[in-house]
Amino acid sequence: MFKGLIVIDNDRVADSLDLVAVVERLAGEEESFIYGLGINLSEDVKGLDAVIAVDAPTIQSKDSQLVTTIIEQVHREYQFDSIILLATEFGRMVAPRAAMRLEVGLVADITDIEVDKRGKKLIRPAFSGNIMASIVCDSSPIMASVHPNVFHAADQTKRPQKIPFVPVELKASSIEVLEVIENEQSAVDIREASVLVSAGGGFKRPIEELQELAEELSGAVSASKQLVDRKKAPREIQVGQSGKTVSPDLYIALGIYGSTQHIEGLKNVKEILSVNTDLGAPMNYLASLVVHGDAAEFARKLSTRLKG
């Protein structure tokens, strides 16, 4: 029996439950039993075999130190074969802490899993996305973090059993929330858009000019890492391994070369339209339609045509 634990993020419950697919892939041909760890979880969840419920109002669900301690205590009791977290800002704080506490390795930002005679292999981009590293995990538990929207669980109808869990000897939290500032730029989450107009290094105009085109297509604007690194686009709209993973029906790639790092941010995209002056760009080989030309000029002419 392969036992897996999913740490449920209260702000991303649906994405957390998709991590069921990760445990199932890791189990291979073994029968799996999948637990979810819910700390002050306010909603019912489905798709798991059991939920380990920690109900303690004094515990902040976003306190990385206390959450790490709870993960350690839960693992000591149940002895999981794998512990999987979302690679969100919070998950990136908890995952390395928990790995250090349990004295195991951590594979961050995985995009694929292979199980064969050589063992269980976690795959992730390396060297700035130029290669894909296949990492064999022979320690237990296997610990990994996964971007939201990379894996999708097939069955989310199963009702889990609830297992109350009371942590012991928890120290008082040393974290105090001083101020909460809402991000005014996050009006549209690119992960929810069915159409994305995405600009890369080959788009030579200000990215703000694409907003009108995106609205005409009932979509949103996104960008590659290259534009974000140049401070020409906000990180909230970055597509790629170090940005967000997206699954639109239509992805319009304007001047995007198509590095491994960027491609790993595209999952289950139905159609890709690539506009590039470089016909050898990797993005062109993934596209349903390729336009050989200047990306900014194409965007302007397409917007004019749509208005007409």
Side-chain angles (χ1 to χ4, degrees):
M1 175 74 72
F2 187 91
K3 295 194 298 183
L5 176 69
I6 291 168
V7 180
I8 300 174
D9 188 325
N10 289 10
D11 295 333
R12 309 290 293 273
V13 173
D15 290 328
S16 299
L17 295 177
D18 273 333
L19 299 181
V20 166
V22 178
V23 179
E24 291 175 339
R25 292 276 295 276
L26 283 172
E29 296 182 357
E30 291 183 70
E31 183 181 358
S32 64
F33 194 92
I34 305 174
Y35 297 81
L37 174 59
I39 301 174
N40 296 325
L41 196 60
S42 60
E43 61 182 276
D44 292 332
V45 296
K46 296 180 181 180
L48 301 162
D49 293 300
V51 172
I52 299 172
V54 178
D55 296 319
T58 57
I59 299 176
Q60 294 184 42
S61 61
K62 293 298 184 180
D63 187 326
S64 58
Q65 297 176 9
L66 294 185
V67 172
T68 299
T69 300
I70 294 171
I71 292 173
E72 179 187 17
Q73 292 185 12
V74 169
H75 174 69
R76 299 300 183 201
E77 180 164 336
Y78 290 92
Q79 294 297 304
F80 302 107
D81 297 297
S82 68
I83 300 176
I84 312 297
L85 302 92
L86 283 176
T88 57
E89 291 84 353
F90 179 68
R92 288 191 172 107
M93 289 191 292
V94 173
R97 287 178 181 271
M100 286 288 291
R101 197 78 65 86
L102 300 178
E103 299 182 342
V104 295
L106 169 68
V107 186
D109 303 331
I110 68 170
T111 60
D112 204 357
I113 296 168
E114 292 180 1
V115 178
D116 55 27
K117 295 179 181 179
R118 298 178 59 185
K120 302 180 188 296
K121 295 181 287 187
L122 303 182
I123 299 169
R124 70 177 305 278
F127 294 101
S128 300
N130 293 317
I131 66 169
M132 298 301 290
S134 182
I135 302 169
V136 178
C137 297
D138 53 10
S139 61
S140 184
I142 296 170
M143 285 207 62
S145 63
V146 186
H147 273 273
N149 217 26
V150 173
F151 292 86
H152 297 279
D155 180 16
Q156 292 190 344
T157 60
K158 183 189 304 182
R159 289 190 174 276
Q161 66 180 102
K162 185 176 180 180
I163 305 174
F165 185 86
V166 180
V168 297
E169 298 181 354
L170 286 183
K171 296 180 179 179
S173 175
S174 61
I175 296 177
E176 180 183 355
V177 179
L178 299 178
E179 184 181 7
V180 176
I181 301 175
E182 296 294 336
N183 186 356
E184 297 179 358
Q185 295 178 327
S186 59
V188 178
D189 189 336
I190 61 173
R191 289 170 296 202
E192 305 299 327
S194 59
V195 177
L196 281 178
V197 180
S198 196
F203 187 80
K204 304 302 182 183
R205 299 290 300 169
I207 195 172
E208 291 77 14
E209 294 183 5
L210 294 177
Q211 188 61 46
E212 186 175 1
L213 174 59
E215 291 175 357
E216 289 163 355
L217 293 170
S218 300
V221 177
S222 57
S224 71
K225 183 176 184 295
Q226 193 172 9
L227 286 191
V228 173
D229 289 345
R230 293 178 184 174
K231 309 298 183 184
K232 293 185 177 181
R235 190 164 298 278
E236 290 79 9
I237 65 170
Q238 178 185 331
V239 174
Q241 180 61 28
S242 56
K244 293 180 178 179
T245 302
V246 297
S247 304
D249 294 331
L250 174 61
Y251 188 74
I252 302 178
L254 299 173
I256 295 178
Y257 179 72
S259 67
T260 302
Q261 197 271 354
H262 188 83
I263 298 302
E264 286 302 322
L266 303 177
K267 294 293 180 183
N268 303 315
V269 179
K270 292 183 179 179
E271 303 289 346
I272 297 177
L273 167 60
S274 177
V275 185
N276 210 305
T277 55
D278 181 5
L279 285 177
M283 182 62 75
N284 292 345
Y285 295 93
L286 298 175
S288 309
L289 178 65
V290 176
V291 176
H292 184 208
D294 181 75
E297 182 181 0
F298 172 84
R300 178 178 57 80
K301 289 185 175 181
L302 177 59
S303 182
T304 300
R305 177 63 64 90
L306 289 173
K307 289 177 183 177

